[in-house]
Amino acid sequence: MFLEEKELEILEILEKNSRISIDSIAKMVDLNVEQTEEIVKKLEKEKVIVQYSTDINWRRVDGHEGVTAMIDVKVAPKRGVGFDEIAERIYRFPEVKSVYLMSGAYDLSVIVQGHSMSEVAYFVSEKLSTLDSVLSTTTHFILKKYKHDGTIYEQGDEDRRIVVSP
């Protein structure tokens, strides 16, 4: 789908802050509110804007830290459907947050969330690895999230050293 310059500008604004008001967006792109609303509705209808979401730093909420794992999956693609069929079977599990087709040694990258490491391990051993097309998996547990989708989660203290220059 080809998008006009104003449509692209609106998408870039919403990608950075989906809570910004239509009034503010309209001023930023130099359109009136009605034109801006019309563009946003069109982009939603065409599934260019798929969903509005919120990034939450769960490490700051006591009792809700959970465990996130990135699982590399090697699969045997099926004739006629390639990787799509197995990817769809995997993303239908409620534990699965994301599935990506990848280049390299593994075919799919799967992001899984659970309450504990044993819950994620159970998912891998009892649900994911038992699927017909899955040949092997490698699980990586995420220990700390520094930046996600352009958002920095934990900024360290400012560097208080004095800058010395010749």
Side-chain angles (χ1 to χ4, degrees), residues 81-92:
V81 292
F83 296 100
D84 295 345
E85 184 179 286
I86 188 64
E88 184 177 340
R89 288 185 69 194
I90 292 170
Y91 72 60
R92 291 193 180 279

Side-chain angles (χ1 to χ4, degrees), residues 17-156:
N17 180 5
S18 63
R19 292 188 60 175
I20 193 168
S21 70
I22 290 290
D23 293 340
S24 296
I25 296 170
K27 288 175 188 168
M28 294 169 79
V29 298
D30 196 30
L31 293 174
N32 65 45
V33 173
E34 293 77 24
Q35 291 171 309
T36 305
E37 282 179 332
E38 187 178 307
I39 289 172
V40 170
K41 286 178 183 174
K42 172 192 168 194
L43 294 170
E44 289 171 343
K45 183 181 177 203
E46 296 293 328
K47 301 288 187 216
V48 174
I49 297 174
V50 180
Q51 176 177 315
Y52 298 93
S53 63
T54 303
D55 288 336
I56 298 171
N57 186 353
W58 287 107
R59 289 175 53 102
R60 297 208 177 248
V61 181
D62 292 337
H64 291 282
E65 295 86 2
V67 175
T68 303
M70 298 175 76
I71 305 167
D72 297 326
V73 184
K74 190 175 287 192
V75 299
K78 292 187 178 178
R79 185 181 307 275
V81 292
F83 296 100
D84 295 345
E85 184 179 286
I86 188 64
E88 184 177 340
R89 288 185 69 194
I90 292 170
Y91 72 60
R92 291 193 180 279
F93 287 111
E95 301 91 340
V96 174
K97 300 305 171 196
S98 305
V99 178
Y100 304 98
L101 179 61
M102 306 295 289
S103 62
Y106 289 89
D107 303 307
L108 299 174
S109 181
V110 180
I111 310 297
V112 175
Q113 287 183 333
H115 296 297
S116 64
M117 290 177 79
S118 61
E119 188 177 296
V120 173
Y122 176 83
F123 169 78
V124 173
S125 64
E126 300 298 320
K127 295 181 179 180
L128 183 61
S129 295
T130 60
L131 296 174
D132 293 340
S133 297
V134 173
L135 303 175
S136 67
T137 64
T138 301
T139 302
H140 310 275
F141 286 98
I142 296 175
L143 304 177
K144 185 175 181 180
K145 189 185 300 186
Y146 294 100
K147 186 175 181 179
H148 177 75
D149 286 342
T151 302
I152 298 171
Y153 277 69
E154 307 262 345
Q155 295 217 10

